[in-house]
Amino acid sequence: VLASAGGALLGRARAGDVVARIGGDEFAAILHNTPLEGALAFARSVEELLTRIDLPPELRLLGTFGGSAGCAELSEGIDCDSLIATADRDLYARKRARRAEHAR
């Protein structure tokens, strides 16, 4: 499952972008020369792709596969920790929104 998620990110990334697993089931992508709107489009396309991954039969018993993404834009005066914290807040806001959609 992790390899499939990483592959989805790599498949959407461009040359020069950086994709890495940062822990557990969390990945990060650094999209060079990409405004926030472009990063959001990238994130949403990865979320959509994750819902369409064909899992092996033994993993299908676990349920559906998907993911949520958070975005942040680097600007002058923002350090790495703040950038990651902003993306993390956006990620959890997106997760809450997706759960609310599925609860309807």
Side-chain angles (χ1 to χ4, degrees), residues 13-31:
R14 305 163 299 177
D17 291 341
V18 178
V19 174
R21 181 175 170 209
I22 59 173
D25 61 352
E26 294 183 342
F27 292 83
I30 299 172
L31 309 174

Side-chain angles (χ1 to χ4, degrees), residues 7-8 19 31 35-36 52 54-55 58-59 76 85 94:
V19 174
L31 309 174
L36 186 56
R52 292 185 278 124
D54 188 26
L55 295 173
E58 63 273 13
L59 294 178
E76 192 172 326
R94 179 71 181 144

